[in-house]
Structure formats: C-alpha cells, structure tokens
C-alpha cells in the first residue's frame, strides 16, 4: 500500500482530505539510467514505496522465485527496503513471464497501484529489477526519494554477450573480491564474467588430476608476492553466486603460449623435460606447450574435462594469443585439439583472434583484441565474434600520462575513448548477426589491490556496459557524459572507488 493512500486513509475530516495531495516526482532519474533504456514513457501519477515491499510472481517456478527473491531481497535490503513474498499477484512489485517477449527483454510498468515487471524469462525480469533499483539509487538523497513517477519503460539488450574480464593470473584475487565485483557489475546489466585463470605468472584453478598446477604454479604472482588459487569448491560457489545474478562465468585456460606456470609445475610438459622457474615479470610470448608429446594432450583432456564440469554456462575460453615461440604448425595442432575438446564437452570454444589460423567455424567464437586481419579471417570462416579491441576496451590502459598504474601499449584510454565506439563499426564487411557482443577487460600486471581494480575499471566499465546493452542509434557521448555525473555520485554512495580525473 502506498504512503499516499495510507496518509489519505488516516485523515478523518473532509476538510483535511481536500488538503491531501500526492508527493511529486518528475521522473528525471529515468533519463539518467545507465545503460540507457530503449523507451521511457512518463505517465500521470506516482507510486510510493514503503520500507517493506510485497512482491509476487507469475510464471516462475518455485525454485526460480526462491533464488530470485533471495538475491533481489539482499539487494533491496542494502538500499533500505525489505521485500516480503506475497502469494497474490497484486503486490507492490509483481514479476511475470510473458512468452512473447525475448528472454532478456522486459517491460517495467510503474502504475499508481503498483509496479509490474514483465519479461521473456527470469533473466529479463532481473534486468528490469536492476532498472528499478538503479532509479531508486539515483533518487537517493533527493526529496521524495522513494516515490516513483508512473511510467512504462520498455527495454532489451543490443547484444547477448555483455562481458567483463578479470585477469586473476597476473595478480590473484580472492573469491570475495570477485563476488564484490559481480555485485557492482550486475547493476549495469553485465551478464558475463570472463576469468583469465592461467598464464605465465600463475595457475589459479584447482585441477584434481594435476594438483601441482596450483600447489606449485599458484604460489606466486607478478612482483613475487604470494599468489593463490580457487579450489574447485570455491570456484563452484563463485559460479553459482554469479549465476544467481544472471551472470555466466567463462573460464579461460590460455594455451599454447602463456603457459609458464603449468610448465614450471610439471617438467614432463616441456619438450626438453626441464621445468622452468616460476615467472613473476610481465613480459609475454616466451612459453609454449610441447606439441610433440602425448602427455600434453592428456593434460589438455583432463584440464578441459574438469573445467567443463564446473561450467554451467555455454562458453570455455582456450586463449590462443601471443604464442610467439610456437611454430605455426604446432600452434594449429594444439589450438585445434583444444577447440575440438571443448566442443566435444558440449561447450562453445572462445579464443583470442589468433585462433583464426586454426579450424574455426560457426561453432567457434573469436575474440577481436588486436588484429582486424585475423578477425576477418575468422568471420569469413563463419565464426561468431566478440569485439573488444585493446584500443577501446582494455581497461588496464592508463587514462592519460598522469595515471599512476596501468599500461599504455595500446595507447591511453580516456573515458571518452572507452565509450565512443561501436562493435559493428570496427571490422569491414562483417554481418551484424555474427557479433555476439563485447567485453571490458582488466589485465592485472599493474593491478594488485581492490582499489587498483576499481580505479581502472570505474567509470570506464559503465561505458562499455552501455555499448553492450543500448542500441548504437540511441547512444551519444554527450548524453553518456551527462548521465555519468549522476553515476559518479551513485558510485560514491555505494563506496565504489573510481578514477576522479573528470572532476
Ligand atoms: C591479449 O591481450 N594478449 C589477449
């Protein structure tokens, strides 16, 4: 029941009733949404939320609604609201599944009697809730902060793959840090978290058949500090945590280069049988798996089998970048083996754009990070594409020459440059339906702490999340910059650190 109605009912004289007026709300927060919504239609009237919100479900399985209510209940509570499940559909906030909508599409109707979120599937209902949650966060601290202007917001994503990558190999980050990042990204409708789990500097995921990968290969990180790794139990918990927020985790095992940590853990994986030292520097391109040894393929079989068993989502990333000391013939043999292995496990393989040299086809996703030529080769063979060029999407690039951490090999990456591009405009001749989405990437050579992560990620990740969600025709840099001002205040309220060069 709304505050307005409560107030009115409690008034007893006709005279006072005449004085009962609705709290005002102009709905300006709707214009500050990030990613911007497809259409917003303001209507007459308001709906005022009380601290306790009743919610109802239609078309959800009991299991789905239980998980949903737990997650959105936690998110609401963090904003000062308690949600209470109602059996009746006429609640303050009602979620329903409408089969004629696409899975991630939603319609958020704020009426004077309550709020309805209709979606094609639970994922869409969840993104509709993120929109509502963001409106409340944007209104926080303003007069009538819990009063919502009546409106109809219709929205759906431009791309199905809206991803952020975190490199936990160069520097390791504990599960709690990754969960916190998931909580931050979900507000911006990110639906994929790509974890770079192995590299020259560390192996970060327990593989039961090859325990030394983590016992030895996980010991250190860049700079020689202690490393770390996820046990399978921790990793499964992380994946479930992400899944309950409609985020799929894409695990990456990088091969055949970027494998020093594995080679250091098992001498038999090296062509000469000698294990190299653990590596704590930041050079690339010096390590390779040995294509001529049978044990290499046993290793890859075991690793991808255990990884697939921990991956409910559709994708597994096989790396494939910067294998500068692998011959072309060996590269193709090893990459093709990994691609086939991942496919045989019922997953879609993803690889960096160099994998175009191998047997990529329509069952493969090529991730454009550096080479347009490789990317053209991949899509001409029918591969799907993730468009995440280093010059726009690598959030480990410094903002400018004054930025204390980060790299600059792909150029400085200002807030404007991270936003002002479009995935379908970077590769000649590709058909739009071959592009599945984009990704903001954070490599961690210079990123050692949570505040380092936040400084490089925020606010640039908001821009890439918007590119992934909002249609190109609707976006503009001027609108983004205007809305960003509200979102910096929102990040402050959520105690999320960010680069303050804008101020
Ligand atoms: C990469 O940045 N080497 C994919």
């Amino acid at each position: 029941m709304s505050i307005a109605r409560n107030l009115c009912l409690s008034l007893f004289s006709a005279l006072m009733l005449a004085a009962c007026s609705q709290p005002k709300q102009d709905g300006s927060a709707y214009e500050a949404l990030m990613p911007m919504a497809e259409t917003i239609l303001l209507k007459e009237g308001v709906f005022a939320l009380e601290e306790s919100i009743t919610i109802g479900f239609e078309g959800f399985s009991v299991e789905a609604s239980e998980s949903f209510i737990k997650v959105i209940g936690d998110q609401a509570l963090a904003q000062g609201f308690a949600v209470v499940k109602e059996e009746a559909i006429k609640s303050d906030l009602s979620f329903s599944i409408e089969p004629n909508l696409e899975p991630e599409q939603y319609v958020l109707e704020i009426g004077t009697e309550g709020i309805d979120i209709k979606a094609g599937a639970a994922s869409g209902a969840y993104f509709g809730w993120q929109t509502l949650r963001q409106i409340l966060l944007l209104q926080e601290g303003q007069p009538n902060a819990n009063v919502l202007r009546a409106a109809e917001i219709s929205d759906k994503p431009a791309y199905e793959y809206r991803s952020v990558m975190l490199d936990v190999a160069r520097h390791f980050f504990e599960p709690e840090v990754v969960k916190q990042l998931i909580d931050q990204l979900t507000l911006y409708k990110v639906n994929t978290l790509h974890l770079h789990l192995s590299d020259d500097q560390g192996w970060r995921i327990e593989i039961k058949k090859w325990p030394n990968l983590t016992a030895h290969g996980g010991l250190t990180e860049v700079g020689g500090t202690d490393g770390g790794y996820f046990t399978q139990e921790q990793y499964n918990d992380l994946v479930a945590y992400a899944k309950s927020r409609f985020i799929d985790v894409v695990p990456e095992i990088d091969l055949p280069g970027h494998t020093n940590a594995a080679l250091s853990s098992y001498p038999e994986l090296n062509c000469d049988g000698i294990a190299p030292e653990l590596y704590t520097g930041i050079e690339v391109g010096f390590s390779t798996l040995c294509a001529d040894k049978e044990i290499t393929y046993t290793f890859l079989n075991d690793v991808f089998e255990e990884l697939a068993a921990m991956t409910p989502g559709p994708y597994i990333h096989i790396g494939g970048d910067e294998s500068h000391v692998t011959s072309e013939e060996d590269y193709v043999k090893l990459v093709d083996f990994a691609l086939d292995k991942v496919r045989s496990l019922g997953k879609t393989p993803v690889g960096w754009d160099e994998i175009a040299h191998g047997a990529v086809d329509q069952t493969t996703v090529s991730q454009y990070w550096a080479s347009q030529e490789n990317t053209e080769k991949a899509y001409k063979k029918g591969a799907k594409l993730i468009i995440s060029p280093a010059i726009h999407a690598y959030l480990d690039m410094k903002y400018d020459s004054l930025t204390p951490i980060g790299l600059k090999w792909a150029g400085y990456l200002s807030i404007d440059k991270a936003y002002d591009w479009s995935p379908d405009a970077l590769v000649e001749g590709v058909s739009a339906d071959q592009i599945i989405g984009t990704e903001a990437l954070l490599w961690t050579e210079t990123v050692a702490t949570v505040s380092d992560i936040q400084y490089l990620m925020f606010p640039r990740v908001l821009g890439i999340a918007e590119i992934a969600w909002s249609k190109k025709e609707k976006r503009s840099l001027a609108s983004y910059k205007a809305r960003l001002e509200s979102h910096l205040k929102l990040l402050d309220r959520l105690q999320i650190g960010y680069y303050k060069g804008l101020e």
Side-chain angles (χ1 to χ4, degrees):
M1 187 179 277
S2 73
I3 288 172
R5 210 168 351 140
N6 262 344
L7 276 174
C8 289
L9 288 176
S10 68
L11 298 176
F12 54 90
S13 86
L15 202 66
M16 288 185 79
L17 203 58
C20 172
S21 67
Q22 283 196 331
K24 295 237 178 321
Q25 183 53 264
D26 64 7
S28 55
Y30 303 177
E31 299 301 330
L33 282 166
M34 185 96 77
M36 59 164 52
E38 193 164 43
T39 61
I40 300 171
L41 196 66
L42 290 184
K43 298 191 170 170
E44 281 310 307
V46 295
F47 184 68
L49 285 171
E50 296 178 38
E51 275 164 24
S52 177
I53 306 174
T54 55
I55 69 172
F57 294 95
E58 198 172 79
F60 280 63
S61 67
V62 172
E63 202 186 17
S65 69
E66 293 300 324
S67 159
F68 202 88
I69 203 164
K70 160 114 189 47
V71 172
I72 74 167
D74 287 349
Q75 293 172 349
L77 206 56
Q79 288 176 223
F81 297 98
V83 298
V84 184
K85 189 170 177 191
E86 279 262 316
E87 296 316 319
I89 183 69
K90 216 55 233 166
S91 313
D92 295 332
L93 174 56
S94 305
F95 293 98
S96 54
I97 304 295
E98 296 266 331
N100 58 332
L101 299 177
E102 290 163 29
E104 294 193 307
Q105 182 178 14
Y106 69 88
V107 180
L108 166 60
E109 285 173 2
I110 301 169
T112 53
E113 300 290 318
I115 302 167
D116 287 301
I117 296 179
K118 301 187 172 79
S123 53
Y126 178 79
F127 297 123
W129 159 251
Q130 295 311 318
T131 296
L132 179 62
R133 184 159 89 93
Q134 202 182 88
I135 291 166
L136 290 164
L137 282 166
L138 287 163
Q139 290 186 178
E140 217 174 278
Q142 294 174 9
N144 298 327
N146 296 348
V147 175
L148 297 160
R149 174 68 183 265
E152 180 175 304
I153 299 178
S154 300
D155 204 9
K156 64 178 183 183
Y159 292 106
E160 66 189 72
Y161 194 93
R162 306 183 300 279
S163 184
V164 169
M165 188 218 69
L166 181 67
D167 168 13
V168 293
R170 270 43 174 268
H171 279 98
F172 180 67
F173 295 95
E174 296 292 339
E176 287 315 310
V177 173
V178 183
K179 285 184 179 175
Q180 189 186 53
L181 185 62
I182 287 170
D183 284 335
Q184 294 161 352
L185 297 174
T186 196
L187 183 60
Y188 292 96
K189 300 187 175 72
V190 167
N191 71 352
T192 307
L193 177 69
H194 165 189
L195 290 176
H196 184 73
L197 291 169
S198 70
D199 212 301
D200 291 321
Q201 297 86 348
W203 186 284
R204 309 299 182 199
I205 179 74
E206 178 188 21
I207 301 295
K208 302 236 189 232
K209 284 197 177 154
W210 295 76
N212 224 29
L213 289 171
T214 43
H216 174 77
L219 280 175
T220 56
E221 58 182 15
V222 166
T225 34
D226 287 347
Y229 64 92
F230 303 130
T231 64
Q232 292 201 356
E233 195 181 356
Q234 286 173 322
Y235 186 80
N236 284 328
D237 174 63
L238 191 58
V239 168
Y241 187 88
K243 188 80 203 151
S244 69
R245 284 142 182 86
F246 297 89
I247 290 178
D248 280 323
V249 175
V250 176
E252 179 188 352
I253 295 299
D254 203 350
L255 68 100
H258 290 277
T259 41
N260 187 76
L263 298 169
S264 178
S265 304
Y266 287 96
E268 58 270 39
L269 290 177
N270 295 271
C271 281
D272 63 5
I274 299 168
E277 295 288 305
L278 288 169
Y279 182 67
T280 60
I282 63 167
E283 296 304 317
V284 297
F286 60 87
S287 57
T288 185
L289 290 175
C290 184
D292 298 336
K293 283 187 144 180
E294 199 50 42
I295 194 160
T296 299
Y297 302 95
T298 308
F299 166 74
L300 293 177
N301 272 324
D302 293 343
V303 166
F304 285 115
E305 278 169 22
E306 291 194 31
L307 206 57
M310 293 185 276
T311 306
Y315 299 109
I316 289 183
H317 204 302
I318 64 143
D321 57 324
E322 298 174 313
S323 289
H324 301 324
V325 294
T326 319
S327 70
E328 169 96 14
E329 190 189 349
D330 286 356
Y331 177 87
V332 168
K333 189 173 170 190
L334 288 159
V335 162
D336 284 356
F337 182 86
L339 292 173
D340 273 344
K341 182 68 197 175
V342 170
R343 289 182 194 115
S344 78
L345 293 163
K347 301 294 172 189
T348 300
V350 186
W352 302 112
D353 59 49
E354 291 95 323
I355 63 163
H357 294 278
V360 307
D361 59 18
Q362 67 285 355
T363 68
T364 319
V365 178
S366 171
Q367 181 162 8
Y368 171 32
W369 71 280
S371 166
Q372 292 215 3
E373 196 183 324
N374 286 338
T375 304
E376 280 183 32
K377 197 183 286 196
Y379 84 72
K380 284 183 177 151
K381 290 181 177 182
K384 299 265 195 282
L385 302 177
I386 297 165
I387 305 286
S388 55
I391 52 167
H392 292 295
Y394 272 30
L395 302 188
D396 57 309
M397 293 301 118
K398 291 171 182 279
Y399 291 89
D400 59 27
S401 62
L402 298 173
T403 312
I405 54 169
L407 303 174
K408 60 174 186 183
W409 61 263
Y412 296 124
L413 182 58
S414 66
I415 288 169
D416 291 15
K417 196 171 165 198
Y419 181 79
D420 205 11
W421 64 283
S422 179
D424 63 358
L426 291 176
V427 186
E428 289 278 297
V430 64
S431 76
D433 61 3
Q434 266 178 278
I435 299 175
I436 63 168
T438 185
E439 179 170 276
L441 298 98
L442 190 68
W443 301 99
T444 58
E445 284 92 337
T446 68
V447 177
T449 65
V450 172
S451 65
D452 291 348
I453 293 179
Q454 294 184 351
Y455 179 82
L456 289 175
M457 209 166 256
F458 295 94
R460 292 182 291 194
V461 74
L462 274 54
I464 294 178
E466 173 151 301
I467 291 172
W469 181 278
S470 306
K471 293 220 166 35
K472 176 171 81 167
E473 300 71 41
K474 299 215 69 158
R475 297 195 283 109
S476 78
L477 183 60
S479 157
Y480 171 64
K481 296 290 278 288
R483 285 175 291 126
L484 203 47
E485 285 181 27
S486 307
H487 284 267
L488 296 185
K489 295 189 190 110
L490 192 157
L491 295 177
D492 282 333
R493 287 200 290 279
L494 294 176
Q495 297 181 314
I496 300 172
Y498 58 88
Y499 164 74
K500 297 217 162 56
L502 267 185
E503 291 168 357

